[in-house]
Amino acid sequence: MTESKVNKPQWLPTSKDEMERLGWEQADVILFSGDAYVDHPSFGAAVIGRTLQAAGFKVAIVPQPNWRDDLRDFKKLGRPRLFFGVSAGAMDSMVNHYTANRRLRHDDAYTPGGKHGMRPDYPTIVYSGILKELFRDVPVIAGGIEASLRRVAHYDYWEDRLRPSIMLDAKADMIVYGMGERTVVDLARRLDAGERLADITDMPQTLFISDETPAQGDIVLHSYEECLADKKLQALNFRHVEEESNKFAGAVIWQRAKGKMVKINPMLPPMSTGEIDASFDLPYTRMPHPRYRGKHIPAYDMIRHSVCMHRGCFGGCAFCTISAHQGKFIASRSKESILKEVKNVTEMPDFKGYISDLGGPSANMYAMGGRNRDICRKCVRPSCLHPAVCPNLHNDHRPLLEIYREVDRMPEVKKSFIGSGVRYDLAMSKNKNEAVNAANKEYLRTLIADHVSGRLKVAPEHTSDTVLQCMRKPGFELFRKFKRIFDDVNTKKGLRQQLIPYFISSHPGCREEDMAELAAITKDLDFHLEQVQDFTPTPMTVATEIYYTGYHPYTGEKVYTARTEKEKLAQRSFFFWYKPENRQQIIGELRRMNRPDLIKALYPGGAGFQHSYGRKTSESGGRNSGRRERTESKKFEPKSNTKKFQKFKK
């Protein structure tokens, strides 16, 4: 193995001059990333680069290479000794580039100055194709979100078509999916030992085109061509993929497309505490590379003083891709590792005493999991929280409270905030242990009183039980209870904090009438919604499969989804019922629905009613109830339209 223990770079080199200053003639691995190079554990290229470096390999990074000119960025570092690594970046490029209405975005949070256009559509495909054209005999290994979530046949919303596994479109020799530190180091070591990439067919979390024959116990999905002919088969495929991704030990998955067979080896078990500590404890500078001096990178500005405490999410929300990439089971860092990183943050030159976030994919899943792990090993549930909280789940918030207290005791820290989304249903779920229940109540009080920077973000997502069932989210009544807790703590502490609820329109299962009821309910709760989300189908989610196929993958039931721009805009307009320009249209729609009750709830003074809210909030969400006098004394109650999904029949 080639090692570089002398003169280790403060940043991984990004140019030939930087390599020469280190005395390198050749790098072992060269990474190409669609993001700017920020040497921080929240940026994938930095994590993979630092992990390989810690294993003794020489690693260089080419961030945001120019693919439009003579391709000099792809040639400037020469050929690596072992392989090229390719990643589109921290986001799927199409989500990064386009809005839910398929309109081009004008900025890119992962680029200096937020400048748009510094990466192509589908960088995984573009970068790997260029590298294979220039260096035909050098292995190209793809990874990152884009490659990970497109590992099987998937619906592409921006092209409005089913695409095969990205292995069929990219020129990569192999894809490492999910969180790739362990896999990529093992791969580098085996290549370094002289193994041929073509002979490495057993490595977890990899996929590649294979001539092998599926073994007994493997899962063979319906082919890409079969799914093109019958959308219901695509829905069936997704259920297999999701269940295997959520297992401790999944099966090998195969899928044929365009006359070739793609083999997908199963995910590794979740990282141990020691393994995840080792990843976060690497010598990151926590800063953008000096090449960006004087330029702001918006995504970095958001997380520069934050600390991620765990990976994984067992929420299983229908529209979310976290478990497909990070896994369902939580991998938590040790308290010592977290406090060490907090200490590093406090030593940054621009630190003013405030930790912006002690969080994770979900803020309050730290150190949680099943009481009996043997049960977890057999479980195929996509969510530990839906349709009801798993009785085996130990939702003890005491370890999290201890982290908060330890951080707040540090003399350099004036205050620590929780910026990540909080699962209030997790904290409010009853535990068999009364001591845990008491601690969970204390967690909510502590969170609201001491760790909110004026606004607390939570995600009820909708008010309709039917839509929430499809979303795999708890009923809206639980949010009402949480709001009462929030208001009570604020009253007792003399605080005037805001509760910021996030909602989604046009989600599968959501009809225009559901959005009209959402408008009335949130008005009654005194929320003034300003920034909201229209459902965007992204690869590897239940909601996307429903959107594309029309069927729920777990029930086989047909599910209505707003698909046209007109339908989507009609639903979205109900978020902004208070805008004068929307009033006549909304009243007309409510008359068509024969819902005079909703007209009265939204516009008690009639069509010409001018509603005054006073000062508007500057962010999404609303203000606390009680900030103005209500115009109605009776709470609006939606019609019941909950229905049970039928069992999926193949």
Side-chain angles (χ1 to χ4, degrees):
M1 181 186 298
T2 300
E3 295 192 1
S4 177
K5 295 183 178 179
V6 180
N7 296 325
K8 283 191 176 180
Q10 191 175 14
W11 280 269
L12 301 175
T14 64
S15 68
K16 195 68 174 177
D17 287 344
E18 292 172 62
M19 285 177 57
E20 289 174 353
R21 285 198 294 269
L22 294 167
W24 296 5
E25 292 184 4
Q26 182 183 35
D28 296 323
V29 178
I30 301 175
L31 304 177
F32 284 80
S33 173
D35 291 340
Y37 171 32
V38 179
D39 195 42
H40 188 284
S42 293
F43 287 73
V47 173
I48 296 300
R50 288 295 189 186
T51 301
L52 285 165
Q53 182 192 53
F57 296 99
K58 297 176 180 177
V59 186
I61 294 181
V62 181
Q64 300 189 314
N66 189 339
W67 74 100
R68 298 185 180 99
D69 60 5
D70 60 2
L71 307 181
R72 68 187 67 182
D73 282 349
F74 292 87
K75 306 171 188 174
K76 66 181 183 180
L77 302 186
R79 78 177 50 231
R81 190 173 64 87
L82 297 177
F83 62 85
F84 287 113
V86 166
S87 171
M91 293 177 65
D92 183 280
S93 64
M94 304 307 280
V95 178
N96 181 284
H97 281 174
Y98 301 96
T99 68
N101 291 324
R102 299 189 178 95
R103 294 192 175 96
L104 192 66
R105 298 186 192 274
H106 299 297
D107 56 4
D108 183 338
Y110 293 87
T111 298
K115 185 178 179 181
H116 179 82
M118 297 301 289
R119 78 184 86 211
D121 288 352
Y122 311 109
T124 307
I125 297 171
V126 175
Y127 294 170
S128 61
I130 292 171
L131 289 169
K132 271 300 179 185
E133 191 69 31
L134 296 174
F135 306 95
R136 192 168 297 276
D137 59 331
V138 179
V140 175
I141 312 298
I145 290 283
E146 182 168 273
S148 181
L149 300 183
R150 294 172 179 265
R151 56 188 183 260
V152 295
H154 56 280
Y155 173 68
D156 189 293
Y157 171 69
W158 298 271
E159 292 191 342
D160 193 23
R161 70 180 179 99
L162 193 72
R163 295 186 65 131
S165 165
I166 198 168
M167 276 301 311
L168 276 298
D169 291 324
K171 301 298 184 184
D173 298 284
M174 178 182 282
I175 288 173
V176 174
Y177 71 91
M179 306 302 283
E181 296 108 305
R182 292 174 290 179
T183 300
V184 79
V185 168
D186 286 347
L187 179 62
R189 285 173 174 160
R190 290 176 67 169
L191 291 173
D192 189 55
E195 288 191 61
R196 294 172 60 249
L197 185 63
D199 297 330
I200 302 176
T201 62
D202 59 343
M203 187 163 287
Q205 287 187 212
T206 61
L207 58 142
F208 43 87
I209 294 170
S210 175
D211 294 328
E212 298 174 79
T213 301
Q216 187 174 3
D218 292 355
I219 293 174
V220 180
L221 301 175
H222 293 285
S223 71
Y224 167 64
E225 287 77 16
E226 289 174 322
C227 293
L228 280 174
D230 185 349
K231 290 183 176 181
K232 200 166 189 176
L233 298 182
Q234 172 67 15
L236 278 168
N237 276 357
F238 176 81
R239 179 171 179 174
H240 285 304
V241 174
E242 184 177 54
E243 287 183 343
E244 295 307 311
S245 297
N246 286 333
K247 288 181 179 179
F248 256 83
V252 174
I253 293 176
W254 299 78
Q255 186 174 42
R256 183 173 293 281
K258 298 183 177 181
K260 298 178 180 180
M261 202 71 157
V262 176
K263 179 182 181 182
I264 307 171
N265 286 323
M267 268 190 161
L268 285 161
M271 279 183 161
S272 66
T273 296
E275 287 173 326
I276 194 169
D277 279 358
S279 179
F280 278 90
D281 291 347
L282 293 169
Y284 301 100
T285 65
R286 296 186 63 87
M287 299 286 288
H289 190 274
R291 64 192 285 153
Y292 308 122
R293 189 171 285 114
K295 297 180 181 178
H296 292 285
I297 300 172
Y300 170 66
D301 291 341
M302 291 174 62
I303 54 86
R304 64 194 305 163
H305 297 145
S306 70
V307 175
C308 179
M309 302 196 298
H310 68 272
R311 289 181 184 167
C313 180
F314 50 71
C317 297
F319 47 82
C320 182
T321 60
I322 291 172
S323 63
H325 186 68
Q326 294 192 9
K328 179 177 77 172
F329 299 100
I330 304 301
S332 296
R333 300 168 63 183
S334 68
K335 181 173 69 174
E336 293 73 23
S337 175
I338 293 168
L339 295 178
K340 178 182 176 183
E341 186 175 356
V342 172
K343 180 66 173 175
N344 290 340
V345 172
T346 67
E347 293 172 354
M348 295 176 68
D350 63 342
F351 183 69
K352 305 297 183 184
Y354 300 98
I355 300 294
S356 62
D357 186 22
L358 292 171
S362 289
N364 57 321
M365 289 186 182
Y366 176 75
M368 292 187 188
R371 293 182 181 86
N372 184 339
R373 283 302 174 108
D374 289 336
I375 294 175
C376 294
R377 291 175 188 277
K378 301 173 186 175
C379 179
V380 296
R381 279 180 55 165
S383 171
C384 302
L385 301 177
H386 188 270
V389 176
C390 175
N392 187 47
L393 179 64
H394 192 46
N395 63 331
D396 188 355
H397 284 67
R398 285 177 292 188
L400 194 53
L401 279 169
E402 181 59 26
I403 296 288
Y404 293 175
R405 293 187 186 111
E406 289 282 347
V407 170
D408 289 345
R409 288 190 195 111
M410 297 175 72
E412 303 91 344
V413 176
K414 296 177 182 177
K415 204 169 183 67
S416 61
F417 298 114
I418 311 306
S420 302
V422 174
R423 289 298 300 247
Y424 54 84
D425 53 335
L426 181 59
M428 295 170 71
S429 175
K430 294 296 182 184
N431 194 287
K432 297 175 183 177
N433 186 328
E434 284 304 319
V436 172
N437 289 329
N440 292 354
K441 289 180 180 178
E442 181 187 358
Y443 170 78
L444 289 176
R445 291 193 297 268
T446 300
L447 169 74
I448 296 166
D450 301 328
H451 297 281
V452 176
S453 60
R455 298 174 176 86
L456 177 62
K457 297 182 293 185
V458 294
E461 307 295 8
H462 216 285
T463 58
S464 161
D465 285 339
T466 299
V467 180
L468 289 167
Q469 182 182 4
C470 191
M471 288 178 164
R472 295 176 178 164
K473 296 286 286 187
F476 191 70
E477 184 56 35
L478 196 64
F479 173 76
R480 292 182 188 273
K481 292 178 180 178
F482 176 73
K483 185 180 183 300
R484 288 196 287 270
I485 295 171
F486 183 86
D487 291 343
D488 181 63
V489 172
N490 274 272
T491 299
K492 289 178 178 177
K493 297 287 185 179
L495 302 171
R496 292 174 63 84
Q497 299 178 138
Q498 291 178 307
L499 188 61
I500 308 296
Y502 284 83
F503 294 97
I504 298 176
S505 61
S506 302
H507 190 278
C510 179
R511 297 179 181 273
E512 195 174 347
E513 191 169 352
D514 297 316
M515 292 303 301
E517 292 186 348
L518 183 151
I521 291 170
T522 55
K523 174 179 181 284
D524 184 77
L525 289 171
D526 200 25
F527 286 116
H528 189 185
L529 308 180
E530 293 183 348
Q531 289 185 4
V532 289
Q533 182 179 353
D534 194 26
F535 170 67
T536 304
T538 55
M540 199 71 79
T541 70
V542 179
T544 296
E545 298 304 321
I546 297 172
Y547 178 92
Y548 170 66
T549 68
Y551 298 98
H552 195 292
Y554 284 77
T555 67
E557 183 183 65
K558 285 189 174 182
V559 180
Y560 167 79
T561 304
R563 292 186 58 89
T564 68
E565 186 172 354
K566 181 180 179 182
E567 290 173 320
K568 286 170 159 287
L569 288 174
Q571 290 203 16
R572 185 180 174 84
S573 69
F574 281 100
F575 283 132
F576 308 108
W577 61 269
Y578 53 83
K579 292 187 176 182
E581 62 267 29
N582 291 341
R583 186 176 295 114
Q584 292 300 329
Q585 176 195 339
I586 287 175
I587 288 175
E589 288 298 302
L590 293 176
R591 284 174 177 158
R592 181 183 59 79
M593 296 177 199
N594 193 27
R595 295 298 302 270
D597 58 321
L598 292 178
I599 297 175
K600 185 178 180 181
L602 292 175
Y603 308 110
F609 176 64
Q610 296 292 321
H611 188 16
S612 175
Y613 262 85
R615 183 180 64 84
K616 292 184 179 181
T617 57
S618 59
E619 295 188 15
S620 60
R623 294 156 306 171
N624 297 330
S625 54
R627 292 279 298 278
R628 65 175 177 84
E629 212 174 312
R630 295 271 178 86
T631 45
E632 295 82 44
S633 58
K634 184 178 180 182
K635 183 174 73 174
F636 171 76
E637 296 291 350
K639 291 182 177 180
S640 175
N641 60 352
T642 304
K643 56 184 177 180
K644 295 181 179 179
F645 288 128
Q646 301 299 312
K647 188 176 180 181
F648 195 8
K649 296 179 181 179
K650 295 185 179 179

